[in-house]
């Protein structure tokens, strides 16, 4: 299957700071990538759809000014959590859409802890 | 009614058992059906991918889709302790409607 990487795998930050998470599609070009968050013992919640070269599409209830998404190339999308607060602590996972099969391949996730 | 229903378990079986995991759904527009395996603190890993109705087999794993009943299954034969994980069903309408709708996931433990 396709390989998607995320960096960092975990991060701890102070309240009020910003954190950037990178998602890379390593072995195929992905015009579309997705960002999810997952709370303990819950399923994945789609936050936004990231399209290369255009603005991201956010799901209802997700603050686009707080969760900035940039998809500047066919292999890289970034999620920046701005002015992070403890309630933003979660597991953030990206995925890349493999166009040939409309299948999503997921990254390993980034665990964010905001103190 | 939720779009995708999945029994969260937990499900505990002895090593070597046959495991059956299931999801039901309500949206008849779903065409693509997937099963993902997620280990604790890791991203989901694609296990099986099926288009429309039918069966698909890959090693110890068999996926079944019955669109008339809006019911999908994943069978694991000769289960191993390394199969212990959360299994998520997911589905999409395909084409321009590629967003995945997930089940809540079933936590499986295979005991040695």
């Amino acid at each position: 299957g396709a390989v998607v990487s995320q960096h960092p795998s975990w991060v701890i930050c102070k309240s009020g700071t910003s954190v950037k998470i990178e998602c890379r599609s390593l072995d195929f070009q992905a015009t579309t990538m997705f960002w999810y968050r997952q709370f303990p013992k819950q399923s994945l919640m789609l936050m936004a759809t990231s399209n290369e070269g255009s603005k991201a599409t956010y799901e209802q209830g997700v603050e686009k000014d707080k969760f900035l998404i940039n998809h500047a190339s066919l292999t890289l999308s970034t999620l920046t959590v701005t002015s992070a607060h403890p309630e933003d602590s979660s597991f953030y996972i990206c995925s890349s859409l493999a166009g040939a099969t409309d299948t999503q391949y997921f990254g390993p996730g980034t665990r964010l802890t905001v103190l | 009614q939720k779009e995708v229903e999945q029994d969260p378990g937990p499900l505990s079986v002895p090593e070597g058992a046959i495991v059956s995991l299931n999801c039901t759904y309500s949206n008849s527009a779903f065409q693509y059906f997937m099963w993902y395996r997620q280990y604790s603190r890791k991203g989901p890993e694609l296990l099986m991918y099926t288009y429309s109705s039918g069966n698909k087999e890959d090693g110890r794993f068999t996926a079944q889709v019955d669109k008339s009943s809006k019911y999908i299954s994943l069978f694991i034969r000769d289960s191993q302790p390394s199969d212990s994980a959360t299994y998520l069903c997911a589905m999409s309408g395909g084409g321009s409607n590629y967003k995945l709708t997930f089940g809540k996931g079933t936590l499986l433990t295979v005991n040695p």
Side-chain angles (χ1 to χ4, degrees):
Chain A
V3 180
V4 178
S5 71
Q6 276 184 248
H7 178 81
S9 56
W10 58 271
V11 57
I12 301 173
C13 69
K14 292 182 178 180
S15 185
T17 61
S18 294
V19 174
K20 180 186 282 188
I21 302 170
E22 292 186 350
C23 176
R24 292 183 185 273
S25 177
L26 296 183
D27 53 359
F28 69 99
Q29 293 182 331
T31 56
T32 304
M33 301 173 92
F34 302 89
W35 286 96
Y36 296 82
R37 65 189 297 181
Q38 185 177 34
F39 292 106
K41 298 187 179 182
Q42 293 189 24
S43 193
L44 285 77
M45 184 190 81
L46 179 64
M47 299 175 66
T49 302
S50 170
N51 293 296
E52 187 266 338
S54 64
K55 290 183 178 180
T57 303
Y58 291 81
E59 295 300 298
Q60 190 173 10
V62 178
E63 299 176 61
K64 62 179 181 181
D65 294 329
K66 181 169 184 62
F67 299 100
L68 301 178
I69 291 172
N70 183 280
H71 193 159
S73 78
L74 288 172
T75 59
L76 173 64
S77 176
T78 61
L79 168 69
T80 301
V81 183
T82 63
S83 187
H85 288 96
E87 57 265 31
D88 298 324
S89 298
S90 189
F91 192 50
Y92 292 87
I93 312 172
C94 70
S95 71
S96 292
L97 183 68
T101 59
D102 282 350
T103 304
Q104 290 187 32
Y105 292 92
F106 287 84
T110 297
R111 185 159 302 280
L112 170 64
T113 300
V114 184
L115 303 177
Chain B
Q1 181 186 12
K2 291 186 177 178
E3 274 199 299
V4 179
E5 300 273 5
Q6 182 177 8
D7 186 342
L11 181 62
S12 182
V13 301
E15 184 174 354
I18 297 175
V19 176
S20 173
L21 305 167
N22 311 293
C23 288
T24 59
Y25 64 95
S26 57
N27 188 345
S28 58
F30 289 141
Q31 297 284 342
Y32 296 85
F33 304 91
M34 286 137 277
W35 286 95
Y36 288 89
R37 176 174 62 195
Q38 186 177 24
Y39 292 112
S40 181
R41 298 176 180 261
K42 299 291 184 183
E45 170 194 8
L46 180 66
L47 276 180
M48 300 291 284
Y49 167 87
T50 309
Y51 170 70
S52 196
S53 285
N55 296 353
K56 187 172 185 178
E57 186 174 323
D58 184 1
R60 296 184 295 111
F61 299 91
T62 300
Q64 290 185 349
V65 175
D66 182 348
K67 290 191 68 180
S68 62
S69 301
K70 296 188 177 67
Y71 186 88
I72 70 170
S73 301
L74 177 70
F75 296 96
I76 307 174
R77 290 184 299 282
D78 187 25
S79 56
Q80 303 294 309
S82 58
D83 295 329
S84 298
T86 295
Y87 290 79
L88 297 154
C89 65
M91 43 201 81
S92 73
S96 61
N97 185 12
Y98 40 63
K99 287 184 185 178
L100 290 179
T101 301
F102 285 91
K104 282 194 169 183
T106 300
L107 177 61
L108 170 67
T109 301
V110 181
N111 301 299

